[in-house]
Amino acid sequence: MMELRAIIVEDEANSREILRNYLGKYCEGVQLLGEGANIEEGLALIQKHTPDIVFLDVEMPFGNAFDLLDQLPERSFETIFVTAYNQYAMDALNHHAAYYLMKPINIDELVKAVEYVRAIKEKENALEGQVLKTKPIKAEGKITLPQQDGFQILDVGDIFFCKADDNYTEIYLEKKKIVVSKTLKYFEDALQPYPFARIHKSYLVNVAEVVKYKKGKGGSVILSNGKELSVSASKKAELLSYFQ
């Protein structure tokens, strides 16, 4: 079982004590690295320890949990919100929270939340550093690119990735770039039969050209041409599904 390194950020001492005791008694394989009572203390602990999981209360003195997360846009930890208020659930989702626990804490839900994070981290660790191109993934077929004087026929396998540029899409091949007056969503739909993954609001990548995944909150991929592209947290699951 993978051990999870955890931090608690909660302004109420009694709530910190309850969560600490529950983690120690009911959640196997969780190492508590520290506790913070406010955003400043929580931020310092996260930067010092690089935890796997952070338990966050929403409302704290001099700000809230979202203020803390906004200071860590490239975070590698998963977040579990622990709060007495249910109106923050949508904000938590938008900040890619792994779980949302209501106070008073239900022990079964806490255990489920911890195991959910453990599963995410175990998959990330299993994929970290692997050369993914050895997987049997191929992009074979043709696609037509509309142009002012007609259309161009392109082998799907020649595409490394597509990048959004407002209502245009930049299509990157090995040695050149083609700009087409169609949105990235247009190409996402057109390439749906092939192994192309939307890894970011700006990127659609040919999974057959991915040679490495670097873990993070979303992480990044390195393509066979050496190009590194960011993966958004909300799109990571779609990408990793190709390598299960």
Side-chain angles (χ1 to χ4, degrees), residues 30-45:
V30 176
Q31 178 190 5
L32 186 59
L33 303 174
E35 302 175 14
N38 53 52
I39 292 174
E40 184 177 347
E41 291 179 5
L43 187 61
L45 284 169

PDB file of all heavy atoms in Angstrom, residues 30-45:
ATOM      1  N   VAL A  30      -1.375   6.777   6.177  1.00  0.00           N
ATOM      2  CA  VAL A  30      -1.359   8.232   6.030  1.00  0.00           C
ATOM      3  C   VAL A  30      -0.362   8.811   7.034  1.00  0.00           C
ATOM      4  O   VAL A  30      -0.512   8.628   8.243  1.00  0.00           O
ATOM      5  CB  VAL A  30      -2.749   8.856   6.250  1.00  0.00           C
ATOM      6  CG1 VAL A  30      -2.659  10.376   6.173  1.00  0.00           C
ATOM      7  CG2 VAL A  30      -3.742   8.333   5.216  1.00  0.00           C
ATOM      8  N   GLN A  31       0.649   9.489   6.532  1.00  0.00           N
ATOM      9  CA  GLN A  31       1.643  10.141   7.383  1.00  0.00           C
ATOM     10  C   GLN A  31       1.326  11.631   7.452  1.00  0.00           C
ATOM     11  O   GLN A  31       1.383  12.334   6.444  1.00  0.00           O
ATOM     12  CB  GLN A  31       3.058   9.940   6.828  1.00  0.00           C
ATOM     13  CG  GLN A  31       4.130  10.646   7.637  1.00  0.00           C
ATOM     14  CD  GLN A  31       5.488  10.646   6.946  1.00  0.00           C
ATOM     15  OE1 GLN A  31       5.610  10.186   5.805  1.00  0.00           O
ATOM     16  NE2 GLN A  31       6.493  11.147   7.616  1.00  0.00           N
ATOM     17  N   LEU A  32       0.975  12.108   8.640  1.00  0.00           N
ATOM     18  CA  LEU A  32       0.648  13.520   8.814  1.00  0.00           C
ATOM     19  C   LEU A  32       1.938  14.312   9.004  1.00  0.00           C
ATOM     20  O   LEU A  32       2.670  14.121   9.965  1.00  0.00           O
ATOM     21  CB  LEU A  32      -0.286  13.703  10.013  1.00  0.00           C
ATOM     22  CG  LEU A  32      -0.830  15.119  10.235  1.00  0.00           C
ATOM     23  CD1 LEU A  32      -1.608  15.600   9.013  1.00  0.00           C
ATOM     24  CD2 LEU A  32      -1.721  15.152  11.474  1.00  0.00           C
ATOM     25  N   LEU A  33       2.214  15.229   8.071  1.00  0.00           N
ATOM     26  CA  LEU A  33       3.461  15.987   8.081  1.00  0.00           C
ATOM     27  C   LEU A  33       3.378  17.262   8.890  1.00  0.00           C
ATOM     28  O   LEU A  33       4.396  17.768   9.367  1.00  0.00           O
ATOM     29  CB  LEU A  33       3.852  16.341   6.645  1.00  0.00           C
ATOM     30  CG  LEU A  33       4.017  15.180   5.672  1.00  0.00           C
ATOM     31  CD1 LEU A  33       4.270  15.710   4.270  1.00  0.00           C
ATOM     32  CD2 LEU A  33       5.149  14.269   6.110  1.00  0.00           C
ATOM     33  N   GLY A  34       2.177  17.813   9.028  1.00  0.00           N
ATOM     34  CA  GLY A  34       2.038  19.065   9.762  1.00  0.00           C
ATOM     35  C   GLY A  34       0.631  19.609   9.678  1.00  0.00           C
ATOM     36  O   GLY A  34      -0.204  19.122   8.911  1.00  0.00           O
ATOM     37  N   GLU A  35       0.377  20.638  10.504  1.00  0.00           N
ATOM     38  CA  GLU A  35      -0.934  21.281  10.552  1.00  0.00           C
ATOM     39  C   GLU A  35      -0.761  22.792  10.531  1.00  0.00           C
ATOM     40  O   GLU A  35       0.109  23.334  11.218  1.00  0.00           O
ATOM     41  CB  GLU A  35      -1.686  20.866  11.822  1.00  0.00           C
ATOM     42  CG  GLU A  35      -1.893  19.366  11.957  1.00  0.00           C
ATOM     43  CD  GLU A  35      -2.528  18.986  13.287  1.00  0.00           C
ATOM     44  OE1 GLU A  35      -3.040  19.893  13.978  1.00  0.00           O
ATOM     45  OE2 GLU A  35      -2.499  17.794  13.640  1.00  0.00           O
ATOM     46  N   GLY A  36      -1.599  23.459   9.752  1.00  0.00           N
ATOM     47  CA  GLY A  36      -1.592  24.914   9.696  1.00  0.00           C
ATOM     48  C   GLY A  36      -2.932  25.472  10.095  1.00  0.00           C
ATOM     49  O   GLY A  36      -3.976  24.863   9.840  1.00  0.00           O
ATOM     50  N   ALA A  37      -2.907  26.648  10.727  1.00  0.00           N
ATOM     51  CA  ALA A  37      -4.138  27.264  11.206  1.00  0.00           C
ATOM     52  C   ALA A  37      -4.636  28.385  10.294  1.00  0.00           C
ATOM     53  O   ALA A  37      -5.702  28.947  10.530  1.00  0.00           O
ATOM     54  CB  ALA A  37      -3.932  27.815  12.619  1.00  0.00           C
ATOM     55  N   ASN A  38      -3.878  28.701   9.250  1.00  0.00           N
ATOM     56  CA  ASN A  38      -4.284  29.757   8.335  1.00  0.00           C
ATOM     57  C   ASN A  38      -3.596  29.542   6.989  1.00  0.00           C
ATOM     58  O   ASN A  38      -2.793  28.614   6.815  1.00  0.00           O
ATOM     59  CB  ASN A  38      -3.960  31.147   8.907  1.00  0.00           C
ATOM     60  CG  ASN A  38      -2.501  31.261   9.337  1.00  0.00           C
ATOM     61  OD1 ASN A  38      -1.592  30.960   8.569  1.00  0.00           O
ATOM     62  ND2 ASN A  38      -2.276  31.679  10.581  1.00  0.00           N
ATOM     63  N   ILE A  39      -3.897  30.417   6.048  1.00  0.00           N
ATOM     64  CA  ILE A  39      -3.362  30.266   4.693  1.00  0.00           C
ATOM     65  C   ILE A  39      -1.844  30.348   4.692  1.00  0.00           C
ATOM     66  O   ILE A  39      -1.162  29.552   4.030  1.00  0.00           O
ATOM     67  CB  ILE A  39      -3.961  31.341   3.773  1.00  0.00           C
ATOM     68  CG1 ILE A  39      -5.452  31.077   3.556  1.00  0.00           C
ATOM     69  CG2 ILE A  39      -3.240  31.382   2.433  1.00  0.00           C
ATOM     70  CD1 ILE A  39      -6.154  32.168   2.791  1.00  0.00           C
ATOM     71  N   GLU A  40      -1.296  31.310   5.400  1.00  0.00           N
ATOM     72  CA  GLU A  40       0.154  31.504   5.411  1.00  0.00           C
ATOM     73  C   GLU A  40       0.872  30.262   5.932  1.00  0.00           C
ATOM     74  O   GLU A  40       1.860  29.802   5.335  1.00  0.00           O
ATOM     75  CB  GLU A  40       0.508  32.720   6.269  1.00  0.00           C
ATOM     76  CG  GLU A  40       1.999  33.062   6.262  1.00  0.00           C
ATOM     77  CD  GLU A  40       2.305  34.316   7.064  1.00  0.00           C
ATOM     78  OE1 GLU A  40       1.359  35.054   7.409  1.00  0.00           O
ATOM     79  OE2 GLU A  40       3.496  34.549   7.342  1.00  0.00           O
ATOM     80  N   GLU A  41       0.376  29.706   7.040  1.00  0.00           N
ATOM     81  CA  GLU A  41       0.994  28.507   7.608  1.00  0.00           C
ATOM     82  C   GLU A  41       0.826  27.309   6.679  1.00  0.00           C
ATOM     83  O   GLU A  41       1.748  26.501   6.492  1.00  0.00           O
ATOM     84  CB  GLU A  41       0.390  28.194   8.973  1.00  0.00           C
ATOM     85  CG  GLU A  41       0.752  29.208  10.053  1.00  0.00           C
ATOM     86  CD  GLU A  41       0.122  28.880  11.399  1.00  0.00           C
ATOM     87  OE1 GLU A  41      -0.521  27.806  11.519  1.00  0.00           O
ATOM     88  OE2 GLU A  41       0.259  29.696  12.336  1.00  0.00           O
ATOM     89  N   GLY A  42      -0.362  27.180   6.092  1.00  0.00           N
ATOM     90  CA  GLY A  42      -0.608  26.078   5.169  1.00  0.00           C
ATOM     91  C   GLY A  42       0.289  26.138   3.953  1.00  0.00           C
ATOM     92  O   GLY A  42       0.854  25.122   3.525  1.00  0.00           O
ATOM     93  N   LEU A  43       0.442  27.335   3.392  1.00  0.00           N
ATOM     94  CA  LEU A  43       1.290  27.510   2.216  1.00  0.00           C
ATOM     95  C   LEU A  43       2.737  27.144   2.535  1.00  0.00           C
ATOM     96  O   LEU A  43       3.412  26.464   1.744  1.00  0.00           O
ATOM     97  CB  LEU A  43       1.196  28.954   1.728  1.00  0.00           C
ATOM     98  CG  LEU A  43       1.880  29.291   0.402  1.00  0.00           C
ATOM     99  CD1 LEU A  43       1.268  28.480  -0.726  1.00  0.00           C
ATOM    100  CD2 LEU A  43       1.763  30.778   0.109  1.00  0.00           C
ATOM    101  N   ALA A  44       3.218  27.566   3.704  1.00  0.00           N
ATOM    102  CA  ALA A  44       4.592  27.263   4.097  1.00  0.00           C
ATOM    103  C   ALA A  44       4.797  25.756   4.255  1.00  0.00           C
ATOM    104  O   ALA A  44       5.826  25.208   3.833  1.00  0.00           O
ATOM    105  CB  ALA A  44       4.930  27.990   5.399  1.00  0.00           C
ATOM    106  N   LEU A  45       3.834  25.067   4.849  1.00  0.00           N
ATOM    107  CA  LEU A  45       3.941  23.619   5.035  1.00  0.00           C
ATOM    108  C   LEU A  45       3.944  22.886   3.698  1.00  0.00           C
ATOM    109  O   LEU A  45       4.708  21.937   3.485  1.00  0.00           O
ATOM    110  CB  LEU A  45       2.774  23.118   5.896  1.00  0.00           C
ATOM    111  CG  LEU A  45       2.860  23.402   7.390  1.00  0.00           C
ATOM    112  CD1 LEU A  45       1.517  23.099   8.066  1.00  0.00           C
ATOM    113  CD2 LEU A  45       3.973  22.576   8.036  1.00  0.00           C
TER     114      LEU A  45
END
